[in-house]
Amino acid sequence: GQNIDQPTEMTATEGAIVQINCTYQTSGFNGLFWYQQHAGEAPTFLSYNVLDGLEEKGRFSSFLSRSKGYSYLLLKELQMKDSASYLCAVRGGESGYSTLTFGKGTMLLVSP
Amino acid sequence: GAGVSQSPSNKVTEKGKDVELRCDPISGHTALYWYRQSLGQGLEFLIYFQGNSAPDKSGLPSDRFSAERTGGSVSTLTIQRTQQEDSAVYLCASSFRGGSSYEQYFGPGTRLTVT
């Protein structure tokens, strides 16, 4: 089977840095995505990693280690609007080469 | 530009009835995906369309679920003889094409409640 694990909830303070971890065991791998989903809204794309290393995009960075089946999303200079669910998704697992398998998401609460 | 749109935004139906959910992908996107999201669960892949190829139906949970994509654009997800466990948010996504780094753009979803 396949499994994607991420913490259920995290809390952090405005202005701080938070790291959301994701581990995966899947039958195939064709890239890892992070999405942000505010309550009641559609997920929006944050980042994509297919090779090992760090991808940086403004306040958000994502890291991948394929040998360890591990990724993290790093959010810097947290803002209240960053309170949302963060979804880790692997492409190329059992659901197919081009389809995404999602973790259950990490609910991040940013407090003043 | 216009994003992915879905209709209806909310649907309440009685157990045993059939429902149709519609998705309009972003113009020019050849790949279209359906997912569902139940409370406390991650997004669950249902079906994937890529161009004129046969769809990947491997995620459909039962034969009560089916989907079509007409003219390579609009898609309809049909659930026959709905059950209470079908209650969820059904999300449609499209991408420029499947595979590679092309991210999926999600629609706002249809919240289905089966009473």
Side-chain angles (χ1 to χ4, degrees), chain A residues 35 37 42-43 45 48 91 95 98-100 102-104, chain B residues 33 35 37 42 45 48 56 99-101 103-104 107:
Chain A
Y35 281 82
Q37 186 177 27
F45 169 77
Y48 168 74
R91 184 166 56 198
S95 55
S98 296
T99 57
L100 297 178
F102 283 83
K104 293 184 178 181
Chain B
Y33 309 79
Y35 297 88
Q37 189 172 32
F45 164 74
Y48 160 54
D56 177 352
S100 189
S101 65
E103 69 261 29
Q104 297 178 20

mmCIF file with all atom_site columns, all heavy atoms in Angstrom, chain A residues 35 37 42-43 45 48 91 95 98-100 102-104, chain B residues 33 35 37 42 45 48 56 99-101 103-104 107:
data_model
loop_
_atom_site.group_PDB
_atom_site.id
_atom_site.type_symbol
_atom_site.label_atom_id
_atom_site.label_alt_id
_atom_site.label_comp_id
_atom_site.label_asym_id
_atom_site.label_entity_id
_atom_site.label_seq_id
_atom_site.pdbx_PDB_ins_code
_atom_site.Cartn_x
_atom_site.Cartn_y
_atom_site.Cartn_z
_atom_site.occupancy
_atom_site.B_iso_or_equiv
_atom_site.pdbx_formal_charge
_atom_site.auth_seq_id
_atom_site.auth_comp_id
_atom_site.auth_asym_id
_atom_site.auth_atom_id
_atom_site.pdbx_PDB_model_num
ATOM 1   N N   . TYR A 1 35  ? 0.198   21.898 -1.235  1.00 0.00 ? 35  TYR A N   1
ATOM 2   C CA  . TYR A 1 35  ? -0.931  22.766 -1.506  1.00 0.00 ? 35  TYR A CA  1
ATOM 3   C C   . TYR A 1 35  ? -1.373  23.411 -0.197  1.00 0.00 ? 35  TYR A C   1
ATOM 4   O O   . TYR A 1 35  ? -1.226  22.833 0.880   1.00 0.00 ? 35  TYR A O   1
ATOM 5   C CB  . TYR A 1 35  ? -2.111  21.978 -2.083  1.00 0.00 ? 35  TYR A CB  1
ATOM 6   C CG  . TYR A 1 35  ? -1.992  21.659 -3.554  1.00 0.00 ? 35  TYR A CG  1
ATOM 7   C CD1 . TYR A 1 35  ? -1.240  20.580 -3.998  1.00 0.00 ? 35  TYR A CD1 1
ATOM 8   C CD2 . TYR A 1 35  ? -2.645  22.448 -4.506  1.00 0.00 ? 35  TYR A CD2 1
ATOM 9   C CE1 . TYR A 1 35  ? -1.138  20.294 -5.354  1.00 0.00 ? 35  TYR A CE1 1
ATOM 10  C CE2 . TYR A 1 35  ? -2.543  22.162 -5.864  1.00 0.00 ? 35  TYR A CE2 1
ATOM 11  C CZ  . TYR A 1 35  ? -1.788  21.083 -6.273  1.00 0.00 ? 35  TYR A CZ  1
ATOM 12  O OH  . TYR A 1 35  ? -1.688  20.809 -7.616  1.00 0.00 ? 35  TYR A OH  1
ATOM 13  N N   . GLN A 1 37  ? -4.781  25.027 1.710   1.00 0.00 ? 37  GLN A N   1
ATOM 14  C CA  . GLN A 1 37  ? -6.237  25.039 1.602   1.00 0.00 ? 37  GLN A CA  1
ATOM 15  C C   . GLN A 1 37  ? -6.830  25.777 2.788   1.00 0.00 ? 37  GLN A C   1
ATOM 16  O O   . GLN A 1 37  ? -6.767  25.307 3.927   1.00 0.00 ? 37  GLN A O   1
ATOM 17  C CB  . GLN A 1 37  ? -6.794  23.612 1.526   1.00 0.00 ? 37  GLN A CB  1
ATOM 18  C CG  . GLN A 1 37  ? -8.296  23.567 1.275   1.00 0.00 ? 37  GLN A CG  1
ATOM 19  C CD  . GLN A 1 37  ? -8.823  22.150 1.128   1.00 0.00 ? 37  GLN A CD  1
ATOM 20  O OE1 . GLN A 1 37  ? -8.272  21.200 1.663   1.00 0.00 ? 37  GLN A OE1 1
ATOM 21  N NE2 . GLN A 1 37  ? -9.932  21.996 0.386   1.00 0.00 ? 37  GLN A NE2 1
ATOM 22  N N   . ALA A 1 42  ? -10.891 25.941 -2.202  1.00 0.00 ? 42  ALA A N   1
ATOM 23  C CA  . ALA A 1 42  ? -10.153 24.934 -2.965  1.00 0.00 ? 42  ALA A CA  1
ATOM 24  C C   . ALA A 1 42  ? -8.661  24.982 -2.614  1.00 0.00 ? 42  ALA A C   1
ATOM 25  O O   . ALA A 1 42  ? -8.137  26.026 -2.249  1.00 0.00 ? 42  ALA A O   1
ATOM 26  C CB  . ALA A 1 42  ? -10.330 25.191 -4.457  1.00 0.00 ? 42  ALA A CB  1
ATOM 27  N N   . PRO A 1 43  ? -7.977  23.864 -2.724  1.00 0.00 ? 43  PRO A N   1
ATOM 28  C CA  . PRO A 1 43  ? -6.523  23.876 -2.531  1.00 0.00 ? 43  PRO A CA  1
ATOM 29  C C   . PRO A 1 43  ? -5.844  24.735 -3.601  1.00 0.00 ? 43  PRO A C   1
ATOM 30  O O   . PRO A 1 43  ? -6.267  24.748 -4.759  1.00 0.00 ? 43  PRO A O   1
ATOM 31  C CB  . PRO A 1 43  ? -6.129  22.397 -2.703  1.00 0.00 ? 43  PRO A CB  1
ATOM 32  C CG  . PRO A 1 43  ? -7.386  21.622 -2.493  1.00 0.00 ? 43  PRO A CG  1
ATOM 33  C CD  . PRO A 1 43  ? -8.489  22.509 -2.976  1.00 0.00 ? 43  PRO A CD  1
ATOM 34  N N   . PHE A 1 45  ? -1.915  25.705 -5.260  1.00 0.00 ? 45  PHE A N   1
ATOM 35  C CA  . PHE A 1 45  ? -0.568  25.175 -5.411  1.00 0.00 ? 45  PHE A CA  1
ATOM 36  C C   . PHE A 1 45  ? 0.454   26.065 -4.702  1.00 0.00 ? 45  PHE A C   1
ATOM 37  O O   . PHE A 1 45  ? 0.420   27.290 -4.807  1.00 0.00 ? 45  PHE A O   1
ATOM 38  C CB  . PHE A 1 45  ? -0.240  25.098 -6.903  1.00 0.00 ? 45  PHE A CB  1
ATOM 39  C CG  . PHE A 1 45  ? 1.192   24.812 -7.218  1.00 0.00 ? 45  PHE A CG  1
ATOM 40  C CD1 . PHE A 1 45  ? 1.696   23.529 -7.098  1.00 0.00 ? 45  PHE A CD1 1
ATOM 41  C CD2 . PHE A 1 45  ? 2.045   25.821 -7.629  1.00 0.00 ? 45  PHE A CD2 1
ATOM 42  C CE1 . PHE A 1 45  ? 3.027   23.265 -7.396  1.00 0.00 ? 45  PHE A CE1 1
ATOM 43  C CE2 . PHE A 1 45  ? 3.360   25.568 -7.934  1.00 0.00 ? 45  PHE A CE2 1
ATOM 44  C CZ  . PHE A 1 45  ? 3.865   24.282 -7.822  1.00 0.00 ? 45  PHE A CZ  1
ATOM 45  N N   . TYR A 1 48  ? 6.554   22.487 -5.809  1.00 0.00 ? 48  TYR A N   1
ATOM 46  C CA  . TYR A 1 48  ? 6.754   21.195 -6.475  1.00 0.00 ? 48  TYR A CA  1
ATOM 47  C C   . TYR A 1 48  ? 8.221   20.810 -6.367  1.00 0.00 ? 48  TYR A C   1
ATOM 48  O O   . TYR A 1 48  ? 9.100   21.629 -6.642  1.00 0.00 ? 48  TYR A O   1
ATOM 49  C CB  . TYR A 1 48  ? 6.351   21.308 -7.937  1.00 0.00 ? 48  TYR A CB  1
ATOM 50  C CG  . TYR A 1 48  ? 6.766   20.161 -8.824  1.00 0.00 ? 48  TYR A CG  1
ATOM 51  C CD1 . TYR A 1 48  ? 6.111   18.940 -8.741  1.00 0.00 ? 48  TYR A CD1 1
ATOM 52  C CD2 . TYR A 1 48  ? 7.803   20.303 -9.747  1.00 0.00 ? 48  TYR A CD2 1
ATOM 53  C CE1 . TYR A 1 48  ? 6.482   17.879 -9.567  1.00 0.00 ? 48  TYR A CE1 1
ATOM 54  C CE2 . TYR A 1 48  ? 8.171   19.255 -10.571 1.00 0.00 ? 48  TYR A CE2 1
ATOM 55  C CZ  . TYR A 1 48  ? 7.505   18.044 -10.485 1.00 0.00 ? 48  TYR A CZ  1
ATOM 56  O OH  . TYR A 1 48  ? 7.871   17.001 -11.293 1.00 0.00 ? 48  TYR A OH  1
ATOM 57  N N   . ARG A 1 91  ? 2.872   12.423 -6.492  1.00 0.00 ? 91  ARG A N   1
ATOM 58  C CA  . ARG A 1 91  ? 2.385   11.978 -7.800  1.00 0.00 ? 91  ARG A CA  1
ATOM 59  C C   . ARG A 1 91  ? 3.126   10.717 -8.196  1.00 0.00 ? 91  ARG A C   1
ATOM 60  O O   . ARG A 1 91  ? 4.318   10.580 -7.946  1.00 0.00 ? 91  ARG A O   1
ATOM 61  C CB  . ARG A 1 91  ? 2.600   13.052 -8.863  1.00 0.00 ? 91  ARG A CB  1
ATOM 62  C CG  . ARG A 1 91  ? 2.018   12.660 -10.220 1.00 0.00 ? 91  ARG A CG  1
ATOM 63  C CD  . ARG A 1 91  ? 1.917   13.830 -11.162 1.00 0.00 ? 91  ARG A CD  1
ATOM 64  N NE  . ARG A 1 91  ? 3.195   14.473 -11.354 1.00 0.00 ? 91  ARG A NE  1
ATOM 65  C CZ  . ARG A 1 91  ? 3.336   15.709 -11.847 1.00 0.00 ? 91  ARG A CZ  1
ATOM 66  N NH1 . ARG A 1 91  ? 2.277   16.411 -12.171 1.00 0.00 ? 91  ARG A NH1 1
ATOM 67  N NH2 . ARG A 1 91  ? 4.530   16.223 -12.002 1.00 0.00 ? 91  ARG A NH2 1
ATOM 68  N N   . SER A 1 95  ? -2.152  5.381  -7.372  1.00 0.00 ? 95  SER A N   1
ATOM 69  C CA  . SER A 1 95  ? -3.276  5.909  -8.149  1.00 0.00 ? 95  SER A CA  1
ATOM 70  C C   . SER A 1 95  ? -2.865  6.268  -9.570  1.00 0.00 ? 95  SER A C   1
ATOM 71  O O   . SER A 1 95  ? -3.702  6.615  -10.384 1.00 0.00 ? 95  SER A O   1
ATOM 72  C CB  . SER A 1 95  ? -3.883  7.111  -7.439  1.00 0.00 ? 95  SER A CB  1
ATOM 73  O OG  . SER A 1 95  ? -2.907  8.084  -7.171  1.00 0.00 ? 95  SER A OG  1
ATOM 74  N N   . SER A 1 98  ? 0.310   10.006 -13.282 1.00 0.00 ? 98  SER A N   1
ATOM 75  C CA  . SER A 1 98  ? 0.013   11.434 -13.358 1.00 0.00 ? 98  SER A CA  1
ATOM 76  C C   . SER A 1 98  ? -0.937  11.916 -12.278 1.00 0.00 ? 98  SER A C   1
ATOM 77  O O   . SER A 1 98  ? -1.280  13.089 -12.248 1.00 0.00 ? 98  SER A O   1
ATOM 78  C CB  . SER A 1 98  ? -0.587  11.761 -14.729 1.00 0.00 ? 98  SER A CB  1
ATOM 79  O OG  . SER A 1 98  ? 0.355   11.502 -15.749 1.00 0.00 ? 98  SER A OG  1
ATOM 80  N N   . THR A 1 99  ? -1.363  11.040 -11.402 1.00 0.00 ? 99  THR A N   1
ATOM 81  C CA  . THR A 1 99  ? -2.359  11.430 -10.405 1.00 0.00 ? 99  THR A CA  1
ATOM 82  C C   . THR A 1 99  ? -1.708  11.601 -9.039  1.00 0.00 ? 99  THR A C   1
ATOM 83  O O   . THR A 1 99  ? -0.652  11.049 -8.757  1.00 0.00 ? 99  THR A O   1
ATOM 84  C CB  . THR A 1 99  ? -3.483  10.399 -10.328 1.00 0.00 ? 99  THR A CB  1
ATOM 85  O OG1 . THR A 1 99  ? -2.917  9.118  -10.040 1.00 0.00 ? 99  THR A OG1 1
ATOM 86  C CG2 . THR A 1 99  ? -4.224  10.319 -11.642 1.00 0.00 ? 99  THR A CG2 1
ATOM 87  N N   . LEU A 1 100 ? -2.346  12.391 -8.207  1.00 0.00 ? 100 LEU A N   1
ATOM 88  C CA  . LEU A 1 100 ? -1.832  12.742 -6.889  1.00 0.00 ? 100 LEU A CA  1
ATOM 89  C C   . LEU A 1 100 ? -2.477  11.911 -5.794  1.00 0.00 ? 100 LEU A C   1
ATOM 90  O O   . LEU A 1 100 ? -3.687  11.683 -5.818  1.00 0.00 ? 100 LEU A O   1
ATOM 91  C CB  . LEU A 1 100 ? -2.079  14.220 -6.603  1.00 0.00 ? 100 LEU A CB  1
ATOM 92  C CG  . LEU A 1 100 ? -1.389  15.239 -7.510  1.00 0.00 ? 100 LEU A CG  1
ATOM 93  C CD1 . LEU A 1 100 ? -1.792  16.661 -7.102  1.00 0.00 ? 100 LEU A CD1 1
ATOM 94  C CD2 . LEU A 1 100 ? 0.111   15.091 -7.438  1.00 0.00 ? 100 LEU A CD2 1
ATOM 95  N N   . PHE A 1 102 ? -2.859  12.274 -1.774  1.00 0.00 ? 102 PHE A N   1
ATOM 96  C CA  . PHE A 1 102 ? -2.732  13.317 -0.764  1.00 0.00 ? 102 PHE A CA  1
ATOM 97  C C   . PHE A 1 102 ? -2.625  12.738 0.641   1.00 0.00 ? 102 PHE A C   1
ATOM 98  O O   . PHE A 1 102 ? -3.251  11.717 0.960   1.00 0.00 ? 102 PHE A O   1
ATOM 99  C CB  . PHE A 1 102 ? -3.961  14.233 -0.794  1.00 0.00 ? 102 PHE A CB  1
ATOM 100 C CG  . PHE A 1 102 ? -3.967  15.227 -1.922  1.00 0.00 ? 102 PHE A CG  1
ATOM 101 C CD1 . PHE A 1 102 ? -4.414  14.873 -3.180  1.00 0.00 ? 102 PHE A CD1 1
ATOM 102 C CD2 . PHE A 1 102 ? -3.536  16.530 -1.717  1.00 0.00 ? 102 PHE A CD2 1
ATOM 103 C CE1 . PHE A 1 102 ? -4.415  15.781 -4.227  1.00 0.00 ? 102 PHE A CE1 1
ATOM 104 C CE2 . PHE A 1 102 ? -3.530  17.448 -2.750  1.00 0.00 ? 102 PHE A CE2 1
ATOM 105 C CZ  . PHE A 1 102 ? -3.977  17.071 -4.005  1.00 0.00 ? 102 PHE A CZ  1
ATOM 106 N N   . GLY A 1 103 ? -1.861  13.413 1.475   1.00 0.00 ? 103 GLY A N   1
ATOM 107 C CA  . GLY A 1 103 ? -1.930  13.191 2.896   1.00 0.00 ? 103 GLY A CA  1
ATOM 108 C C   . GLY A 1 103 ? -3.191  13.843 3.444   1.00 0.00 ? 103 GLY A C   1
ATOM 109 O O   . GLY A 1 103 ? -3.926  14.524 2.716   1.00 0.00 ? 103 GLY A O   1
ATOM 110 N N   . LYS A 1 104 ? -3.438  13.686 4.744   1.00 0.00 ? 104 LYS A N   1
ATOM 111 C CA  . LYS A 1 104 ? -4.668  14.217 5.329   1.00 0.00 ? 104 LYS A CA  1
ATOM 112 C C   . LYS A 1 104 ? -4.584  15.705 5.642   1.00 0.00 ? 104 LYS A C   1
ATOM 113 O O   . LYS A 1 104 ? -5.585  16.299 6.027   1.00 0.00 ? 104 LYS A O   1
ATOM 114 C CB  . LYS A 1 104 ? -5.042  13.429 6.582   1.00 0.00 ? 104 LYS A CB  1
ATOM 115 C CG  . LYS A 1 104 ? -5.433  11.980 6.284   1.00 0.00 ? 104 LYS A CG  1
ATOM 116 C CD  . LYS A 1 104 ? -5.898  11.260 7.529   1.00 0.00 ? 104 LYS A CD  1
ATOM 117 C CE  . LYS A 1 104 ? -6.329  9.836  7.173   1.00 0.00 ? 104 LYS A CE  1
ATOM 118 N NZ  . LYS A 1 104 ? -6.827  9.102  8.363   1.00 0.00 ? 104 LYS A NZ  1
ATOM 119 N N   . TYR B 2 33  ? -9.129  16.094 -13.469 1.00 0.00 ? 33  TYR B N   1
ATOM 120 C CA  . TYR B 2 33  ? -9.145  15.146 -12.360 1.00 0.00 ? 33  TYR B CA  1
ATOM 121 C C   . TYR B 2 33  ? -10.376 15.402 -11.489 1.00 0.00 ? 33  TYR B C   1
ATOM 122 O O   . TYR B 2 33  ? -10.788 16.542 -11.309 1.00 0.00 ? 33  TYR B O   1
ATOM 123 C CB  . TYR B 2 33  ? -7.916  15.336 -11.470 1.00 0.00 ? 33  TYR B CB  1
ATOM 124 C CG  . TYR B 2 33  ? -6.589  15.361 -12.182 1.00 0.00 ? 33  TYR B CG  1
ATOM 125 C CD1 . TYR B 2 33  ? -6.151  16.504 -12.848 1.00 0.00 ? 33  TYR B CD1 1
ATOM 126 C CD2 . TYR B 2 33  ? -5.747  14.251 -12.170 1.00 0.00 ? 33  TYR B CD2 1
ATOM 127 C CE1 . TYR B 2 33  ? -4.923  16.538 -13.500 1.00 0.00 ? 33  TYR B CE1 1
ATOM 128 C CE2 . TYR B 2 33  ? -4.511  14.280 -12.800 1.00 0.00 ? 33  TYR B CE2 1
ATOM 129 C CZ  . TYR B 2 33  ? -4.111  15.421 -13.463 1.00 0.00 ? 33  TYR B CZ  1
ATOM 130 O OH  . TYR B 2 33  ? -2.889  15.444 -14.092 1.00 0.00 ? 33  TYR B OH  1
ATOM 131 N N   . TYR B 2 35  ? -11.627 14.533 -7.499  1.00 0.00 ? 35  TYR B N   1
ATOM 132 C CA  . TYR B 2 35  ? -11.274 14.060 -6.167  1.00 0.00 ? 35  TYR B CA  1
ATOM 133 C C   . TYR B 2 35  ? -12.496 14.238 -5.274  1.00 0.00 ? 35  TYR B C   1
ATOM 134 O O   . TYR B 2 35  ? -13.393 15.012 -5.569  1.00 0.00 ? 35  TYR B O   1
ATOM 135 C CB  . TYR B 2 35  ? -10.136 14.899 -5.561  1.00 0.00 ? 35  TYR B CB  1
ATOM 136 C CG  . TYR B 2 35  ? -8.823  14.848 -6.287  1.00 0.00 ? 35  TYR B CG  1
ATOM 137 C CD1 . TYR B 2 35  ? -8.539  15.733 -7.331  1.00 0.00 ? 35  TYR B CD1 1
ATOM 138 C CD2 . TYR B 2 35  ? -7.841  13.935 -5.925  1.00 0.00 ? 35  TYR B CD2 1
ATOM 139 C CE1 . TYR B 2 35  ? -7.320  15.704 -7.993  1.00 0.00 ? 35  TYR B CE1 1
ATOM 140 C CE2 . TYR B 2 35  ? -6.610  13.902 -6.575  1.00 0.00 ? 35  TYR B CE2 1
ATOM 141 C CZ  . TYR B 2 35  ? -6.365  14.780 -7.612  1.00 0.00 ? 35  TYR B CZ  1
ATOM 142 O OH  . TYR B 2 35  ? -5.160  14.749 -8.262  1.00 0.00 ? 35  TYR B OH  1
ATOM 143 N N   . GLN B 2 37  ? -13.298 14.881 -0.947  1.00 0.00 ? 37  GLN B N   1
ATOM 144 C CA  . GLN B 2 37  ? -12.708 15.187 0.349   1.00 0.00 ? 37  GLN B CA  1
ATOM 145 C C   . GLN B 2 37  ? -13.784 15.040 1.406   1.00 0.00 ? 37  GLN B C   1
ATOM 146 O O   . GLN B 2 37  ? -14.732 15.819 1.457   1.00 0.00 ? 37  GLN B O   1
ATOM 147 C CB  . GLN B 2 37  ? -12.144 16.605 0.346   1.00 0.00 ? 37  GLN B CB  1
ATOM 148 C CG  . GLN B 2 37  ? -11.319 16.959 1.563   1.00 0.00 ? 37  GLN B CG  1
ATOM 149 C CD  . GLN B 2 37  ? -10.620 18.311 1.410   1.00 0.00 ? 37  GLN B CD  1
ATOM 150 O OE1 . GLN B 2 37  ? -11.138 19.220 0.763   1.00 0.00 ? 37  GLN B OE1 1
ATOM 151 N NE2 . GLN B 2 37  ? -9.437  18.449 2.007   1.00 0.00 ? 37  GLN B NE2 1
ATOM 152 N N   . GLY B 2 42  ? -8.059  13.058 3.806   1.00 0.00 ? 42  GLY B N   1
ATOM 153 C CA  . GLY B 2 42  ? -7.356  13.730 2.725   1.00 0.00 ? 42  GLY B CA  1
ATOM 154 C C   . GLY B 2 42  ? -8.146  13.657 1.437   1.00 0.00 ? 42  GLY B C   1
ATOM 155 O O   . GLY B 2 42  ? -9.171  12.981 1.351   1.00 0.00 ? 42  GLY B O   1
ATOM 156 N N   . PHE B 2 45  ? -8.391  10.514 -4.754  1.00 0.00 ? 45  PHE B N   1
ATOM 157 C CA  . PHE B 2 45  ? -8.462  10.520 -6.212  1.00 0.00 ? 45  PHE B CA  1
ATOM 158 C C   . PHE B 2 45  ? -9.611  9.633  -6.698  1.00 0.00 ? 45  PHE B C   1
ATOM 159 O O   . PHE B 2 45  ? -9.821  8.525  -6.188  1.00 0.00 ? 45  PHE B O   1
ATOM 160 C CB  . PHE B 2 45  ? -7.141  10.003 -6.790  1.00 0.00 ? 45  PHE B CB  1
ATOM 161 C CG  . PHE B 2 45  ? -7.215  9.606  -8.243  1.00 0.00 ? 45  PHE B CG  1
ATOM 162 C CD1 . PHE B 2 45  ? -7.278  10.571 -9.226  1.00 0.00 ? 45  PHE B CD1 1
ATOM 163 C CD2 . PHE B 2 45  ? -7.221  8.273  -8.612  1.00 0.00 ? 45  PHE B CD2 1
ATOM 164 C CE1 . PHE B 2 45  ? -7.348  10.205 -10.562 1.00 0.00 ? 45  PHE B CE1 1
ATOM 165 C CE2 . PHE B 2 45  ? -7.276  7.891  -9.927  1.00 0.00 ? 45  PHE B CE2 1
ATOM 166 C CZ  . PHE B 2 45  ? -7.353  8.855  -10.912 1.00 0.00 ? 45  PHE B CZ  1
ATOM 167 N N   . TYR B 2 48  ? -9.283  10.325 -13.747 1.00 0.00 ? 48  TYR B N   1
ATOM 168 C CA  . TYR B 2 48  ? -8.372  11.236 -14.450 1.00 0.00 ? 48  TYR B CA  1
ATOM 169 C C   . TYR B 2 48  ? -8.599  11.109 -15.940 1.00 0.00 ? 48  TYR B C   1
ATOM 170 O O   . TYR B 2 48  ? -8.616  9.993  -16.483 1.00 0.00 ? 48  TYR B O   1
ATOM 171 C CB  . TYR B 2 48  ? -6.943  10.862 -14.061 1.00 0.00 ? 48  TYR B CB  1
ATOM 172 C CG  . TYR B 2 48  ? -5.834  11.328 -14.980 1.00 0.00 ? 48  TYR B CG  1
ATOM 173 C CD1 . TYR B 2 48  ? -5.682  12.658 -15.332 1.00 0.00 ? 48  TYR B CD1 1
ATOM 174 C CD2 . TYR B 2 48  ? -4.900  10.398 -15.457 1.00 0.00 ? 48  TYR B CD2 1
ATOM 175 C CE1 . TYR B 2 48  ? -4.635  13.059 -16.150 1.00 0.00 ? 48  TYR B CE1 1
ATOM 176 C CE2 . TYR B 2 48  ? -3.850  10.800 -16.271 1.00 0.00 ? 48  TYR B CE2 1
ATOM 177 C CZ  . TYR B 2 48  ? -3.716  12.127 -16.610 1.00 0.00 ? 48  TYR B CZ  1
ATOM 178 O OH  . TYR B 2 48  ? -2.678  12.524 -17.410 1.00 0.00 ? 48  TYR B OH  1
ATOM 179 N N   . ASP B 2 56  ? -8.454  7.170  -16.601 1.00 0.00 ? 56  ASP B N   1
ATOM 180 C CA  . ASP B 2 56  ? -7.984  6.335  -15.513 1.00 0.00 ? 56  ASP B CA  1
ATOM 181 C C   . ASP B 2 56  ? -9.065  6.333  -14.442 1.00 0.00 ? 56  ASP B C   1
ATOM 182 O O   . ASP B 2 56  ? -9.225  7.306  -13.717 1.00 0.00 ? 56  ASP B O   1
ATOM 183 C CB  . ASP B 2 56  ? -6.668  6.902  -14.965 1.00 0.00 ? 56  ASP B CB  1
ATOM 184 C CG  . ASP B 2 56  ? -6.125  6.130  -13.767 1.00 0.00 ? 56  ASP B CG  1
ATOM 185 O OD1 . ASP B 2 56  ? -6.832  5.240  -13.236 1.00 0.00 ? 56  ASP B OD1 1
ATOM 186 O OD2 . ASP B 2 56  ? -4.992  6.424  -13.347 1.00 0.00 ? 56  ASP B OD2 1
ATOM 187 N N   . GLY B 2 99  ? 1.232   14.794 -15.755 1.00 0.00 ? 99  GLY B N   1
ATOM 188 C CA  . GLY B 2 99  ? 2.648   14.491 -15.629 1.00 0.00 ? 99  GLY B CA  1
ATOM 189 C C   . GLY B 2 99  ? 3.514   15.721 -15.540 1.00 0.00 ? 99  GLY B C   1
ATOM 190 O O   . GLY B 2 99  ? 3.036   16.844 -15.525 1.00 0.00 ? 99  GLY B O   1
ATOM 191 N N   . SER B 2 100 ? 4.813   15.521 -15.471 1.00 0.00 ? 100 SER B N   1
ATOM 192 C CA  . SER B 2 100 ? 5.811   16.587 -15.390 1.00 0.00 ? 100 SER B CA  1
ATOM 193 C C   . SER B 2 100 ? 5.504   17.527 -14.235 1.00 0.00 ? 100 SER B C   1
ATOM 194 O O   . SER B 2 100 ? 4.914   17.142 -13.241 1.00 0.00 ? 100 SER B O   1
ATOM 195 C CB  . SER B 2 100 ? 5.862   17.342 -16.722 1.00 0.00 ? 100 SER B CB  1
ATOM 196 O OG  . SER B 2 100 ? 6.959   18.241 -16.717 1.00 0.00 ? 100 SER B OG  1
ATOM 197 N N   . SER B 2 101 ? 5.865   18.769 -14.333 1.00 0.00 ? 101 SER B N   1
ATOM 198 C CA  . SER B 2 101 ? 5.729   19.692 -13.216 1.00 0.00 ? 101 SER B CA  1
ATOM 199 C C   . SER B 2 101 ? 4.433   20.482 -13.241 1.00 0.00 ? 101 SER B C   1
ATOM 200 O O   . SER B 2 101 ? 4.229   21.361 -12.401 1.00 0.00 ? 101 SER B O   1
ATOM 201 C CB  . SER B 2 101 ? 6.904   20.661 -13.221 1.00 0.00 ? 101 SER B CB  1
ATOM 202 O OG  . SER B 2 101 ? 6.866   21.472 -14.380 1.00 0.00 ? 101 SER B OG  1
ATOM 203 N N   . GLU B 2 103 ? 1.227   21.903 -12.368 1.00 0.00 ? 103 GLU B N   1
ATOM 204 C CA  . GLU B 2 103 ? 0.401   21.769 -11.177 1.00 0.00 ? 103 GLU B CA  1
ATOM 205 C C   . GLU B 2 103 ? -1.057  21.690 -11.560 1.00 0.00 ? 103 GLU B C   1
ATOM 206 O O   . GLU B 2 103 ? -1.465  22.101 -12.654 1.00 0.00 ? 103 GLU B O   1
ATOM 207 C CB  . GLU B 2 103 ? 0.643   22.940 -10.215 1.00 0.00 ? 103 GLU B CB  1
ATOM 208 C CG  . GLU B 2 103 ? 0.138   24.288 -10.690 1.00 0.00 ? 103 GLU B CG  1
ATOM 209 C CD  . GLU B 2 103 ? 1.238   25.121 -11.290 1.00 0.00 ? 103 GLU B CD  1
ATOM 210 O OE1 . GLU B 2 103 ? 2.210   24.544 -11.845 1.00 0.00 ? 103 GLU B OE1 1
ATOM 211 O OE2 . GLU B 2 103 ? 1.139   26.360 -11.214 1.00 0.00 ? 103 GLU B OE2 1
ATOM 212 N N   . GLN B 2 104 ? -1.830  21.152 -10.651 1.00 0.00 ? 104 GLN B N   1
ATOM 213 C CA  . GLN B 2 104 ? -3.264  21.056 -10.828 1.00 0.00 ? 104 GLN B CA  1
ATOM 214 C C   . GLN B 2 104 ? -3.936  22.269 -10.201 1.00 0.00 ? 104 GLN B C   1
ATOM 215 O O   . GLN B 2 104 ? -3.606  22.675 -9.091  1.00 0.00 ? 104 GLN B O   1
ATOM 216 C CB  . GLN B 2 104 ? -3.790  19.769 -10.194 1.00 0.00 ? 104 GLN B CB  1
ATOM 217 C CG  . GLN B 2 104 ? -3.211  18.520 -10.854 1.00 0.00 ? 104 GLN B CG  1
ATOM 218 C CD  . GLN B 2 104 ? -3.674  17.235 -10.212 1.00 0.00 ? 104 GLN B CD  1
ATOM 219 O OE1 . GLN B 2 104 ? -4.689  17.200 -9.520  1.00 0.00 ? 104 GLN B OE1 1
ATOM 220 N NE2 . GLN B 2 104 ? -2.940  16.156 -10.440 1.00 0.00 ? 104 GLN B NE2 1
ATOM 221 N N   . GLY B 2 107 ? -10.996 23.545 -8.632  1.00 0.00 ? 107 GLY B N   1
ATOM 222 C CA  . GLY B 2 107 ? -12.215 24.318 -8.556  1.00 0.00 ? 107 GLY B CA  1
ATOM 223 C C   . GLY B 2 107 ? -12.674 24.449 -7.115  1.00 0.00 ? 107 GLY B C   1
ATOM 224 O O   . GLY B 2 107 ? -12.079 23.846 -6.215  1.00 0.00 ? 107 GLY B O   1
#
